[in-house]
């Protein structure tokens, strides 16, 4: 098992999205993990900022202390329990499309990833990792920039129709830096709300410090979390 946390809270970039992600991931450590990562976005950024490290959350924190990420309006974090691809920096989540404009964290397994990967490679997509998850970033890219013409929810709906398996997903789009897109099938994911901002998490303890107001996303349900 592994974990997802996300936060969107302000139209002015600040340190809170990163703080909430790291705090939340710490609270989910009991579920077990082999690597950890975060993604942050804010208006004006040319791509979503990603940092990920194999090993303990402390490795990621040490790296962030050495090379700080920019302040943000929205963030997502992930602890991984590898199912496809060894525990490594490259295989750690988040995963992203070629220009870094779409970034995904995923808990679960994409069972038909090999077939989807071949199709995407045939369309010119290049893969950096050995994970099943990376197909989601490129498939979102394919629909978002193609048939779905810049509509993230339409692209996510298409992806959900194409993939088989289990997933809890947190997704950032550079073009929507005040929103988190989420969806789940057979893996848990909740939404939390507070006066200051809104959350996603795999489990309540991740966000208990900030809110007790939670909503359990239904199976095959999509969520758009915004300020
Ligand atoms: N199947 C994905 C991977 O191996 C996600 C694993 C997880 O749930 O952390 O990267």
């Amino acid at each position: 098992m592994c974990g997802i946390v996300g936060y969107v809270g302000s139209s002015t970039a600040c340190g809170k999205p990163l703080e909430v992600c790291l705090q939340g991931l710490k609270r989910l450590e009991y579920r077990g993990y082999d690597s950890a990562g975060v993604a942050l976005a804010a208006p004006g950024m040319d791509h979503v900022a990603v940092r990920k490290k194999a090993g303990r959350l402390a490795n990621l924190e040490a790296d962030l202390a050495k090379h700080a990420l920019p302040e943000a309006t929205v963030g997502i974090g992930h602890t991984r329990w590898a199912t496809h691809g060894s525990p490594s920096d490259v295989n750690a989540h988040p995963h992203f499309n070629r220009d870094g404009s779409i970034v995904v964290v995923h808990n679960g397994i994409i069972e038909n990833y090999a077939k989807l990967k071949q199709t995407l490679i045939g369309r010119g997509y290049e893969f950096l990792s050995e994970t099943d998850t990376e197909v989601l970033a490129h498939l979102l890219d394919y629909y978002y920039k193609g048939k779905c013409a810049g509509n993230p929810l339409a692209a996510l709906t298409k992806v959900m129709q194409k993939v088989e398996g289990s997933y809890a997903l947190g997704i950032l789009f550079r073009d929507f830096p005040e929103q988190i897109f989420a969806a789940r099938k057979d893996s848990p994911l909740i939404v939390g709300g507070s006066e200051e901002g809104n959350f996603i998490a795999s489990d309540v303890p991740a966000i208990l410090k900030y809110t007790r107001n939670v909503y359990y996303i239904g199976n095959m349900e999509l969520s758009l979390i915004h300020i």
Side-chain angles (χ1 to χ4, degrees):
M1 278 262 257
C2 34
I4 288 176
V5 186
Y7 176 75
V8 54
S10 163
S11 50
T12 309
C14 64
K16 185 147 181 198
L18 178 61
E19 177 205 307
V20 171
C21 289
L22 293 175
Q23 285 283 334
L25 293 179
K26 250 175 235 167
R27 311 264 162 178
L28 294 175
E29 277 190 303
Y30 73 92
R31 294 157 70 99
Y33 67 101
D34 55 51
S35 48
V38 290
L40 298 170
M45 279 166 60
D46 73 347
H47 63 278
V48 179
V50 170
R51 187 70 54 77
K52 48 195 195 162
K53 281 274 158 207
R56 312 290 306 168
L57 201 49
N59 295 356
L60 175 67
E61 287 178 307
D63 194 77
L64 289 167
K66 253 191 268 159
H67 310 284
L69 285 176
E71 296 195 319
T73 45
V74 63
I76 49 176
H78 184 267
T79 46
R80 176 178 185 232
W81 187 260
T83 64
H84 294 67
S86 58
S88 66
D89 290 356
V90 171
N91 288 336
H93 299 210
H95 291 283
F96 41 85
N97 65 338
R98 190 196 302 235
D99 63 9
S101 60
I102 303 172
V103 168
V104 178
V105 295
H106 165 225
N107 285 167
I109 294 176
I110 304 303
E111 275 154 17
N112 60 341
Y113 86 98
K115 194 164 164 250
L116 293 170
K117 189 169 175 174
Q118 280 319 308
T119 308
L120 286 162
I121 288 170
R123 289 173 182 153
Y125 284 91
E126 285 169 27
F127 284 74
L128 302 178
S129 79
E130 305 159 318
T131 63
D132 51 335
T133 300
E134 195 180 348
V135 298
L136 297 170
H138 298 306
L139 204 53
L140 279 165
D141 179 279
Y142 175 73
Y143 288 117
Y144 181 71
K145 293 177 180 170
K147 268 189 199 129
C148 299
N151 181 334
L153 285 175
L156 182 51
T157 304
K158 276 278 177 209
V159 168
M160 290 173 75
Q161 288 165 353
K162 293 285 172 194
V163 302
E164 290 160 17
S166 58
Y167 49 82
L169 298 176
I171 304 162
L172 298 186
F173 284 79
R174 174 202 59 200
D175 302 345
F176 297 86
E178 288 157 5
Q179 301 182 8
I180 300 173
F181 299 84
R184 69 167 282 261
K185 175 174 177 267
D186 301 336
S187 279
L189 198 63
I190 62 170
V191 171
S194 77
E195 292 284 308
E196 272 185 55
N198 298 313
F199 306 80
I200 56 165
S202 299
D203 201 359
V204 178
I207 54 173
L208 212 47
K209 178 174 168 191
Y210 306 101
T211 184
R212 281 163 192 271
N213 176 19
V214 300
Y215 170 80
Y216 289 78
I217 300 176
N219 219 29
M220 296 296 288
E221 201 167 55
L222 284 173
S223 291
L224 170 56
I225 297 98
H226 56 86
I227 297 172

